Amino acid sequence: MERHASSHTGTAVDLALIHRLTNLNEINRILHETVAKERAVDVELDQLLSKRAELERSFLLLNTPSAEMLELIHADCEQLLAGVEGTAELAVHISGKVRTLDLAQCRVTETLERIKAILDRTNCINGVQSAMDTEDYEAAANYIGTFFALEAKMGHGHGIATDDGEDAQRQVLLQARTQLESVVDRQLDDAVARRDAQTVLRFARLYKPLSKPAEGLRRFVEWVRLGVAARARASLGALSEQLAAGKKVDFHASLAMLFKDLA
């Protein structure tokens, strides 16, 4: 078997050739060459070992940017987290302010509505007194109806506190309503007695703004019933006279006229 030894420089030495050497000069030459090669290998090894520290420093330098980058990333993350936390705190603060402003707006709106209602109530007081003086009963009834509608909206009588001025206004309107109800009853009775259909309809309508729609309907239906009864009695009397005189009676025309009057 032949063995080949190779140096770091790539030159091979044939061991079988060494065993066959017999010449002293050749042996010395091969020895010197081998020693020289060994020294060259030692020098090259020393050179490589001398670069160890430099390689280690290069490796550390290679890792340093990564560590610095990680630290920069960590610092950026902390800054971002602080910004997010600050934004969240600001959002909570703004949300609280919005709720406070919304509550304040609701209170202001309620106050403005109450002020408007008070002004409308005062306008109703002045209007109903003026309307009663001029006998404008429709306007007076509308003022009274508006007043009590505002009162219901503002919660009068439902545990809502009212001042003395509001109670005084209510007393004035109650008196005006009582006075107007008396006028309406009297005028309606007079219109029924005179069989004045337009006046009956006029005053029967005023019961609704006075919060008595059922009473107005009852009075109007009663008037219609009385009118129909009177017309029926008149028609019956006329028919009776015609029958007594021996005249021809047209019952169909009489009934048609009665229903026409009713309509």
Side-chain angles (χ1 to χ4, degrees):
M1 177 181 293
E2 293 185 357
R3 294 181 180 178
H4 298 278
S6 61
S7 69
H8 191 70
T9 58
T11 304
V13 177
D14 190 354
L15 294 179
L17 176 61
I18 294 174
H19 288 112
R20 289 196 301 272
L21 289 175
T22 56
N23 189 323
L24 183 59
N25 290 331
E26 288 294 328
I27 293 172
N28 286 331
R29 184 179 62 78
I30 295 298
L31 177 61
H32 289 302
E33 290 178 357
T34 302
V35 171
K37 291 177 182 179
E38 182 179 0
R39 289 177 180 174
V41 170
D42 290 338
V43 171
E44 188 173 359
L45 287 174
D46 290 338
Q47 290 177 351
L48 292 174
L49 290 174
S50 65
K51 294 180 180 181
R52 176 178 179 180
E54 183 178 354
L55 291 173
E56 289 179 350
R57 284 195 300 271
S58 298
F59 180 75
L60 291 175
L61 291 175
L62 182 62
N63 289 337
T64 299
S66 298
E68 293 178 353
M69 184 64 68
L70 289 175
E71 292 203 3
L72 288 174
I73 293 173
H74 183 266
D76 289 341
C77 290
E78 288 184 344
Q79 184 177 2
L80 179 61
L81 178 61
V84 171
E85 290 177 346
T87 303
E89 292 178 359
L90 180 60
V92 172
H93 181 68
I94 292 176
S95 178
K97 290 293 185 181
V98 169
R99 287 194 296 270
T100 302
L101 290 174
D102 184 63
L103 180 60
Q105 182 181 9
C106 291
R107 290 177 178 174
V108 170
T109 302
E110 291 176 357
T111 302
L112 291 176
E113 289 179 353
R114 185 170 182 82
I115 291 173
K116 183 179 182 300
I118 291 173
L119 293 176
D120 291 340
R121 284 164 59 101
T122 303
N123 182 58
C124 289
I125 293 291
N126 298 330
V128 73
Q129 292 174 341
S130 176
M132 291 297 292
D133 292 339
T134 59
E135 297 185 355
D136 187 354
Y137 301 123
E138 286 81 5
N142 288 330
Y143 281 124
I144 292 173
T146 301
F147 180 90
F148 287 104
L150 290 171
E151 187 176 71
K153 183 178 179 180
M154 294 174 65
H156 185 89
H158 297 280
I160 305 300
T162 57
D163 55 27
D164 295 338
E166 292 179 355
D167 289 336
Q169 288 181 337
R170 190 168 191 274
Q171 291 301 319
V172 171
L173 260 293
L174 287 174
Q175 293 175 2
R177 184 171 69 175
T178 301
Q179 181 182 357
L180 183 57
E181 286 175 353
S182 178
V183 171
V184 170
D185 290 339
R186 186 173 63 253
Q187 292 288 343
L188 186 57
D189 291 339
D190 183 63
V192 170
R194 291 185 288 107
R195 300 183 184 276
D196 187 347
Q198 293 298 325
T199 304
V200 168
L201 183 60
R202 173 193 175 189
F203 285 96
R205 288 173 174 170
L206 297 184
Y207 283 96
K208 182 177 180 181
L210 293 175
S211 303
K212 291 184 175 182
E215 178 67 13
L217 180 60
R218 185 189 66 78
R219 295 292 302 271
F220 183 74
V221 171
E222 181 182 357
W223 174 80
V224 171
R225 182 181 62 80
L226 292 175
V228 171
R231 177 70 64 162
R233 284 193 298 269
S235 297
L236 181 60
L239 291 174
S240 299
E241 291 177 359
Q242 291 177 7
L243 288 173
K247 296 180 180 181
K248 184 179 180 180
V249 179
D250 189 353
F251 291 100
H252 182 272
S254 298
L255 287 174
M257 185 61 67
L258 179 63
F259 283 113
K260 182 179 179 180
D261 293 337
L262 180 60

